Amino acid sequence: AIGALSSSHSTPFDSRANGFVMGEGAGCVVLKRLSEAIADGDSIQAVIRGVGASSDGRGKGITAPSQRGQIQAVMRAYQQAGYGTDTIGLVEAHGTSTVVGDATELNSLSSAFDGVANGENVAVGSIKSQIGHLKAAAGVAGLLKAIYAVKEGIIPPSAGFVTPNENVSWSENPFFVPTDPRPWPSPAGHPRRAGISAFGFGGTNFHCAIEEYNADFHAQLAAEFDVRRAAW
């Protein structure tokens, strides 16, 4: 009834995108304060540096995306994280495989990543291309994918991508859709970093900023956080 389902495939960011395929699944993560996880010798998979949220407010309908709302969520995540979008190597997008939705999301990301050089500098993909849309579990599926990516140092591929969505100015943004896994070398000066977007019916927008765990880097960061928390 809402015209968002495909009878054949999920191909986010492809010109053939005609909706998403429904999936079923669940996922969970264990969250712990960084300093406590380090002190307890836990096996830390990744570090969450920021979470941004926004609401589209009154809109045209429950599935109509708002570029303004998406930009707000993304920018708030990196404001909280304390670093710029120019340090991000991977965006696990919401990527529902609808022509308008995919284009709106990439245009929103382009605005949020303004200042990042155009060209194939930031990988963008969606796990919905592999396992479909898990509805309420879609966000945690994307988070788990990004966690493994930063931890293992691999840019994961997005399935079914052949012809880029013609509603996106690919030459004027820093994004590319990987179709094969590729190595993700550690950047200079900071850990591997990724962003994850999850946009819900009715205009609820969320973006999460994570990074690879590095013992030396995060021991200092955790100590700084503890000093700030004590001051509060």
Side-chain angles (χ1 to χ4, degrees), residues 140-160:
V140 75
L143 177 61
L144 291 171
K145 174 185 171 184
I147 287 171
Y148 281 115
V150 297
K151 180 184 177 186
E152 301 297 333
I154 296 174
I155 296 290
S158 195

mmCIF file of all heavy atoms in Angstrom, residues 140-160:
data_model
loop_
_atom_site.group_PDB
_atom_site.id
_atom_site.type_symbol
_atom_site.label_atom_id
_atom_site.label_comp_id
_atom_site.label_asym_id
_atom_site.label_seq_id
_atom_site.Cartn_x
_atom_site.Cartn_y
_atom_site.Cartn_z
ATOM 1 N N VAL A 140 20.231 -2.166 14.356
ATOM 2 C CA VAL A 140 21.279 -2.926 15.049
ATOM 3 C C VAL A 140 22.034 -3.820 14.071
ATOM 4 O O VAL A 140 23.229 -4.074 14.257
ATOM 5 C CB VAL A 140 20.698 -3.737 16.222
ATOM 6 C CG1 VAL A 140 19.923 -4.968 15.759
ATOM 7 C CG2 VAL A 140 21.795 -4.152 17.197
ATOM 8 N N ALA A 141 21.386 -4.264 13.001
ATOM 9 C CA ALA A 141 22.088 -5.051 11.987
ATOM 10 C C ALA A 141 23.172 -4.208 11.319
ATOM 11 O O ALA A 141 24.309 -4.656 11.112
ATOM 12 C CB ALA A 141 21.103 -5.574 10.938
ATOM 13 N N GLY A 142 22.833 -2.963 10.985
ATOM 14 C CA GLY A 142 23.818 -2.066 10.405
ATOM 15 C C GLY A 142 24.939 -1.740 11.369
ATOM 16 O O GLY A 142 26.109 -1.644 10.971
ATOM 17 N N LEU A 143 24.603 -1.583 12.642
ATOM 18 C CA LEU A 143 25.619 -1.309 13.659
ATOM 19 C C LEU A 143 26.591 -2.477 13.780
ATOM 20 O O LEU A 143 27.818 -2.287 13.820
ATOM 21 C CB LEU A 143 24.945 -1.044 15.009
ATOM 22 C CG LEU A 143 25.871 -0.819 16.206
ATOM 23 C CD1 LEU A 143 26.755 0.403 15.999
ATOM 24 C CD2 LEU A 143 25.051 -0.682 17.493
ATOM 25 N N LEU A 144 26.086 -3.690 13.812
ATOM 26 C CA LEU A 144 26.951 -4.865 13.914
ATOM 27 C C LEU A 144 27.865 -4.983 12.698
ATOM 28 O O LEU A 144 29.050 -5.312 12.828
ATOM 29 C CB LEU A 144 26.101 -6.126 14.080
ATOM 30 C CG LEU A 144 25.361 -6.271 15.414
ATOM 31 C CD1 LEU A 144 24.381 -7.444 15.357
ATOM 32 C CD2 LEU A 144 26.334 -6.462 16.566
ATOM 33 N N LYS A 145 27.337 -4.716 11.527
ATOM 34 C CA LYS A 145 28.151 -4.762 10.316
ATOM 35 C C LYS A 145 29.302 -3.762 10.404
ATOM 36 O O LYS A 145 30.460 -4.081 10.104
ATOM 37 C CB LYS A 145 27.278 -4.466 9.096
ATOM 38 C CG LYS A 145 28.063 -4.351 7.782
ATOM 39 C CD LYS A 145 27.146 -3.925 6.648
ATOM 40 C CE LYS A 145 27.942 -3.586 5.383
ATOM 41 N NZ LYS A 145 27.060 -3.082 4.298
ATOM 42 N N ALA A 146 28.992 -2.533 10.833
ATOM 43 C CA ALA A 146 30.023 -1.506 10.928
ATOM 44 C C ALA A 146 31.053 -1.829 12.008
ATOM 45 O O ALA A 146 32.246 -1.548 11.850
ATOM 46 C CB ALA A 146 29.374 -0.154 11.206
ATOM 47 N N ILE A 147 30.621 -2.429 13.107
ATOM 48 C CA ILE A 147 31.548 -2.822 14.174
ATOM 49 C C ILE A 147 32.577 -3.817 13.646
ATOM 50 O O ILE A 147 33.786 -3.673 13.873
ATOM 51 C CB ILE A 147 30.774 -3.412 15.370
ATOM 52 C CG1 ILE A 147 30.029 -2.308 16.126
ATOM 53 C CG2 ILE A 147 31.712 -4.166 16.317
ATOM 54 C CD1 ILE A 147 29.082 -2.824 17.189
ATOM 55 N N TYR A 148 32.098 -4.823 12.933
ATOM 56 C CA TYR A 148 33.035 -5.804 12.372
ATOM 57 C C TYR A 148 33.970 -5.159 11.351
ATOM 58 O O TYR A 148 35.140 -5.525 11.234
ATOM 59 C CB TYR A 148 32.267 -6.958 11.735
ATOM 60 C CG TYR A 148 31.753 -7.972 12.731
ATOM 61 C CD1 TYR A 148 30.394 -8.163 12.928
ATOM 62 C CD2 TYR A 148 32.640 -8.741 13.490
ATOM 63 C CE1 TYR A 148 29.918 -9.083 13.845
ATOM 64 C CE2 TYR A 148 32.174 -9.669 14.400
ATOM 65 C CZ TYR A 148 30.816 -9.837 14.585
ATOM 66 O OH TYR A 148 30.358 -10.751 15.500
ATOM 67 N N ALA A 149 33.453 -4.188 10.607
ATOM 68 C CA ALA A 149 34.266 -3.533 9.585
ATOM 69 C C ALA A 149 35.434 -2.773 10.204
ATOM 70 O O ALA A 149 36.582 -2.903 9.760
ATOM 71 C CB ALA A 149 33.400 -2.593 8.751
ATOM 72 N N VAL A 150 35.162 -1.976 11.248
ATOM 73 C CA VAL A 150 36.260 -1.212 11.856
ATOM 74 C C VAL A 150 37.220 -2.126 12.611
ATOM 75 O O VAL A 150 38.434 -1.888 12.646
ATOM 76 C CB VAL A 150 35.736 -0.092 12.786
ATOM 77 C CG1 VAL A 150 34.918 0.923 12.008
ATOM 78 C CG2 VAL A 150 34.923 -0.642 13.957
ATOM 79 N N LYS A 151 36.676 -3.186 13.198
ATOM 80 C CA LYS A 151 37.521 -4.098 13.974
ATOM 81 C C LYS A 151 38.445 -4.906 13.074
ATOM 82 O O LYS A 151 39.645 -5.047 13.362
ATOM 83 C CB LYS A 151 36.652 -5.045 14.800
ATOM 84 C CG LYS A 151 37.457 -6.033 15.638
ATOM 85 C CD LYS A 151 36.558 -7.019 16.360
ATOM 86 C CE LYS A 151 37.380 -8.043 17.120
ATOM 87 N NZ LYS A 151 36.542 -9.101 17.717
ATOM 88 N N GLU A 152 37.922 -5.427 11.975
ATOM 89 C CA GLU A 152 38.693 -6.308 11.103
ATOM 90 C C GLU A 152 39.476 -5.545 10.036
ATOM 91 O O GLU A 152 40.336 -6.116 9.363
ATOM 92 C CB GLU A 152 37.761 -7.321 10.431
ATOM 93 C CG GLU A 152 36.993 -8.205 11.405
ATOM 94 C CD GLU A 152 37.904 -9.081 12.253
ATOM 95 O OE1 GLU A 152 39.019 -9.407 11.796
ATOM 96 O OE2 GLU A 152 37.497 -9.425 13.380
ATOM 97 N N GLY A 153 39.172 -4.256 9.852
ATOM 98 C CA GLY A 153 39.882 -3.486 8.848
ATOM 99 C C GLY A 153 39.506 -3.863 7.433
ATOM 100 O O GLY A 153 40.353 -3.945 6.545
ATOM 101 N N ILE A 154 38.205 -4.092 7.219
ATOM 102 C CA ILE A 154 37.711 -4.471 5.890
ATOM 103 C C ILE A 154 36.524 -3.585 5.522
ATOM 104 O O ILE A 154 35.594 -3.424 6.316
ATOM 105 C CB ILE A 154 37.279 -5.946 5.848
ATOM 106 C CG1 ILE A 154 38.484 -6.864 6.085
ATOM 107 C CG2 ILE A 154 36.609 -6.279 4.525
ATOM 108 C CD1 ILE A 154 38.123 -8.326 6.197
ATOM 109 N N ILE A 155 36.566 -2.997 4.332
ATOM 110 C CA ILE A 155 35.401 -2.285 3.794
ATOM 111 C C ILE A 155 34.489 -3.340 3.175
ATOM 112 O O ILE A 155 34.851 -3.985 2.191
ATOM 113 C CB ILE A 155 35.815 -1.261 2.724
ATOM 114 C CG1 ILE A 155 36.682 -0.159 3.334
ATOM 115 C CG2 ILE A 155 34.592 -0.678 2.041
ATOM 116 C CD1 ILE A 155 35.960 0.779 4.265
ATOM 117 N N PRO A 156 33.296 -3.562 3.743
ATOM 118 C CA PRO A 156 32.429 -4.626 3.235
ATOM 119 C C PRO A 156 31.679 -4.198 1.972
ATOM 120 O O PRO A 156 31.379 -3.018 1.789
ATOM 121 C CB PRO A 156 31.451 -4.861 4.397
ATOM 122 C CG PRO A 156 31.411 -3.552 5.109
ATOM 123 C CD PRO A 156 32.747 -2.907 4.935
ATOM 124 N N PRO A 157 31.361 -5.139 1.104
ATOM 125 C CA PRO A 157 30.640 -4.803 -0.134
ATOM 126 C C PRO A 157 29.139 -4.670 0.096
ATOM 127 O O PRO A 157 28.594 -5.169 1.080
ATOM 128 C CB PRO A 157 30.940 -6.002 -1.038
ATOM 129 C CG PRO A 157 31.084 -7.143 -0.079
ATOM 130 C CD PRO A 157 31.723 -6.564 1.156
ATOM 131 N N SER A 158 28.496 -3.987 -0.825
ATOM 132 C CA SER A 158 27.043 -3.905 -0.857
ATOM 133 C C SER A 158 26.589 -4.725 -2.057
ATOM 134 O O SER A 158 27.137 -4.589 -3.153
ATOM 135 C CB SER A 158 26.583 -2.451 -0.981
ATOM 136 O OG SER A 158 25.212 -2.312 -0.686
ATOM 137 N N ALA A 159 25.611 -5.588 -1.867
ATOM 138 C CA ALA A 159 25.213 -6.521 -2.922
ATOM 139 C C ALA A 159 24.291 -5.866 -3.951
ATOM 140 O O ALA A 159 23.517 -4.960 -3.637
ATOM 141 C CB ALA A 159 24.507 -7.734 -2.311
ATOM 142 N N GLY A 160 24.404 -6.335 -5.179
ATOM 143 C CA GLY A 160 23.455 -5.955 -6.224
ATOM 144 C C GLY A 160 23.679 -4.604 -6.858
ATOM 145 O O GLY A 160 22.879 -4.175 -7.697
#
